[in-house]
Amino acid sequence: MRRPAAVIGLFLVCCAAACTLRRQSAPVSPHCRGGNPMAGVYHPSRLNVKSRCRVVNGTVRKVVFEQYDGDVHVDLRPDPGFESLLADGNDRVGGNLIVELIPSDRARVAVPAEGDRIQVVGPWVADTQHGWNEIHPAWWVSAGAIEPASEAELRAAQRLLQLDASDTH
Protein backbone atom coordinates (compact mmCIF):
# COMPACT_ATOMS: atom_id res chain seq x y z
CA MET A 1 0.00 0.00 0.00
CA ARG A 2 2.84 2.41 0.71
CA ARG A 3 4.28 2.22 -2.79
CA PRO A 4 1.13 3.38 -4.68
CA ALA A 5 0.63 6.24 -2.21
CA ALA A 6 4.27 7.34 -2.66
CA VAL A 7 3.94 7.22 -6.46
CA ILE A 8 0.71 9.25 -6.36
CA GLY A 9 2.33 11.74 -3.97
CA LEU A 10 5.38 12.11 -6.21
CA PHE A 11 3.12 12.53 -9.24
CA LEU A 12 1.15 15.32 -7.52
CA VAL A 13 4.36 17.11 -6.47
CA CYS A 14 5.66 16.94 -10.06
CA CYS A 15 2.36 18.27 -11.42
CA ALA A 16 2.43 21.19 -9.00
CA ALA A 17 6.03 21.98 -9.92
CA ALA A 18 5.24 21.83 -13.63
CA CYS A 19 2.42 24.35 -13.17
CA THR A 20 4.83 26.89 -11.70
CA LEU A 21 7.38 26.72 -14.52
CA ARG A 22 7.44 29.61 -16.96
CA ARG A 23 6.62 28.50 -20.43
CA GLN A 24 9.02 29.62 -23.11
CA SER A 25 6.94 31.00 -25.91
CA ALA A 26 8.01 32.24 -29.28
CA PRO A 27 8.23 36.03 -29.60
CA VAL A 28 5.23 37.72 -31.20
CA SER A 29 7.50 38.93 -34.03
CA PRO A 30 11.00 38.16 -35.27
CA HIS A 31 11.67 41.89 -34.79
CA CYS A 32 11.32 41.67 -31.00
CA ARG A 33 14.61 42.30 -29.22
CA GLY A 34 16.13 40.74 -26.16
CA GLY A 35 17.73 42.70 -23.34
CA ASN A 36 16.48 45.93 -21.83
CA PRO A 37 13.47 47.13 -23.87
CA MET A 38 14.23 50.72 -22.83
CA ALA A 39 17.85 50.71 -24.06
CA GLY A 40 18.59 54.03 -25.76
CA VAL A 41 15.39 55.70 -24.52
CA TYR A 42 15.77 59.14 -22.94
CA HIS A 43 14.32 59.35 -19.41
CA PRO A 44 12.94 55.77 -19.35
CA SER A 45 11.68 56.08 -15.75
CA ARG A 46 8.61 57.92 -17.09
CA LEU A 47 7.61 54.82 -19.06
CA ASN A 48 5.91 51.77 -17.56
CA VAL A 49 6.51 48.70 -19.74
CA LYS A 50 3.16 46.97 -20.24
CA SER A 51 4.53 44.41 -22.71
CA ARG A 52 8.13 43.84 -23.81
CA CYS A 53 7.10 43.42 -27.42
CA ARG A 54 3.85 44.12 -29.23
CA VAL A 55 2.74 44.25 -32.83
CA VAL A 56 0.19 46.84 -33.97
CA ASN A 57 -1.29 47.66 -37.37
CA GLY A 58 -2.68 51.04 -38.27
CA THR A 59 -2.60 54.18 -40.40
CA VAL A 60 -0.13 57.00 -39.89
CA ARG A 61 -1.88 60.28 -39.10
CA LYS A 62 1.12 62.49 -38.33
CA VAL A 63 4.95 62.35 -38.28
CA VAL A 64 7.02 64.85 -36.28
CA PHE A 65 10.82 65.03 -35.97
CA GLU A 66 11.50 66.23 -32.42
CA GLN A 67 14.46 68.61 -32.11
CA TYR A 68 14.91 68.18 -28.37
CA ASP A 69 15.66 64.46 -28.17
CA GLY A 70 15.92 63.44 -31.84
CA ASP A 71 12.96 61.05 -31.60
CA VAL A 72 10.53 60.74 -34.46
CA HIS A 73 6.95 60.83 -33.12
CA VAL A 74 4.34 59.01 -35.16
CA ASP A 75 0.62 59.30 -34.43
CA LEU A 76 -0.83 55.94 -35.46
CA ARG A 77 -4.57 55.27 -35.80
CA PRO A 78 -4.82 51.61 -34.74
CA ASP A 79 -6.74 49.22 -36.98
CA PRO A 80 -9.87 47.56 -35.54
CA GLY A 81 -8.80 44.96 -33.01
CA PHE A 82 -5.88 47.05 -31.70
CA GLU A 83 -7.91 49.68 -29.83
CA SER A 84 -7.15 47.92 -26.52
CA LEU A 85 -3.60 49.32 -26.77
CA LEU A 86 -4.97 52.82 -26.15
CA ALA A 87 -5.46 54.53 -22.79
CA ASP A 88 -7.87 57.34 -21.92
CA GLY A 89 -5.01 59.82 -22.40
CA ASN A 90 -4.66 58.83 -26.05
CA ASP A 91 -7.87 60.85 -26.62
CA ARG A 92 -5.70 63.98 -26.18
CA VAL A 93 -3.74 62.96 -29.29
CA GLY A 94 -6.78 62.27 -31.45
CA GLY A 95 -7.28 58.69 -30.27
CA ASN A 96 -3.97 57.72 -31.82
CA LEU A 97 -1.26 55.46 -30.43
CA ILE A 98 2.05 57.30 -30.13
CA VAL A 99 4.97 55.49 -31.79
CA GLU A 100 8.50 56.76 -31.17
CA LEU A 101 11.62 55.99 -33.16
CA ILE A 102 14.80 56.81 -31.23
CA PRO A 103 17.87 58.32 -32.92
CA SER A 104 20.08 55.26 -32.41
CA ASP A 105 17.57 53.09 -34.33
CA ARG A 106 16.87 55.43 -37.22
CA ALA A 107 19.59 53.86 -39.38
CA ARG A 108 17.61 50.59 -39.39
CA VAL A 109 13.97 51.48 -38.64
CA ALA A 110 11.93 53.07 -41.41
CA VAL A 111 10.25 56.43 -40.89
CA PRO A 112 6.73 56.13 -42.33
CA ALA A 113 4.87 58.85 -44.22
CA GLU A 114 1.50 60.30 -43.27
CA GLY A 115 -1.26 58.11 -44.71
CA ASP A 116 0.86 54.92 -44.77
CA ARG A 117 -0.75 51.71 -43.49
CA ILE A 118 1.97 50.12 -41.39
CA GLN A 119 2.80 47.43 -38.91
CA VAL A 120 4.94 48.44 -35.93
CA VAL A 121 6.87 46.25 -33.48
CA GLY A 122 8.26 47.40 -30.13
CA PRO A 123 7.62 47.67 -26.39
CA TRP A 124 4.11 48.76 -25.42
CA VAL A 125 4.45 51.33 -22.65
CA ALA A 126 2.38 53.72 -20.57
CA ASP A 127 3.83 57.24 -20.58
CA THR A 128 3.17 58.28 -16.99
CA GLN A 129 3.94 61.96 -17.67
CA HIS A 130 1.40 62.28 -20.48
CA GLY A 131 -1.11 59.60 -19.46
CA TRP A 132 -1.18 57.87 -22.84
CA ASN A 133 0.15 54.62 -24.26
CA GLU A 134 2.94 54.27 -26.80
CA ILE A 135 5.11 51.87 -28.72
CA HIS A 136 8.48 53.18 -27.55
CA PRO A 137 10.96 52.56 -29.03
CA ALA A 138 9.74 51.19 -32.34
CA TRP A 139 12.06 48.33 -33.34
CA TRP A 140 10.51 47.79 -36.76
CA VAL A 141 8.17 49.69 -39.08
CA SER A 142 6.88 47.89 -42.17
CA ALA A 143 6.88 50.85 -44.59
CA GLY A 144 8.69 54.12 -45.03
CA ALA A 145 12.21 55.31 -45.66
CA ILE A 146 15.39 54.87 -43.66
CA GLU A 147 16.34 58.36 -42.47
CA PRO A 148 19.38 58.04 -40.20
CA ALA A 149 19.70 60.59 -37.43
CA SER A 150 22.19 63.36 -38.12
CA GLU A 151 25.42 63.60 -36.15
CA ALA A 152 23.94 66.57 -34.27
CA GLU A 153 20.80 64.58 -33.35
CA LEU A 154 22.90 61.61 -32.21
CA ARG A 155 25.13 63.88 -30.08
CA ALA A 156 22.09 65.57 -28.51
CA ALA A 157 20.51 62.19 -27.72
CA GLN A 158 23.79 60.94 -26.25
CA ARG A 159 24.00 64.03 -24.00
CA LEU A 160 20.46 63.41 -22.74
CA LEU A 161 21.24 59.74 -22.08
CA GLN A 162 24.37 60.75 -20.14
CA LEU A 163 22.33 63.24 -18.09
CA ASP A 164 19.87 60.45 -17.31
CA ALA A 165 22.71 58.20 -16.19
CA SER A 166 24.19 60.91 -13.94
CA ASP A 167 20.78 61.62 -12.39
CA THR A 168 20.45 58.00 -11.25
CA HIS A 169 23.78 57.97 -9.40
Side-chain angles (χ1 to χ4, degrees), residues 15 23 31 33 63 69 113 121 145 150 169:
C15 287
R23 296 177 192 206
H31 302 288
R33 296 180 187 170
V63 178
D69 60 4
V121 176
S150 69
H169 298 304

Side-chain angles (χ1 to χ4, degrees), residues 1-9:
M1 272 316 247
R2 289 179 141 219
R3 191 168 181 99
V7 169
I8 291 172

Side-chain angles (χ1 to χ4, degrees), residues 20 51 63 77 85 87 89-90 105 112 132 142 163 165:
T20 63
S51 176
V63 178
R77 170 71 59 173
L85 297 177
N90 289 91
D105 284 341
W132 58 54
S142 64
L163 284 173

Side-chain angles (χ1 to χ4, degrees), residues 2-25:
R2 289 179 141 219
R3 191 168 181 99
V7 169
I8 291 172
L10 182 60
F11 174 77
L12 292 175
V13 167
C14 290
C15 287
C19 289
T20 63
L21 294 176
R22 283 190 81 166
R23 296 177 192 206
Q24 294 295 325
S25 60

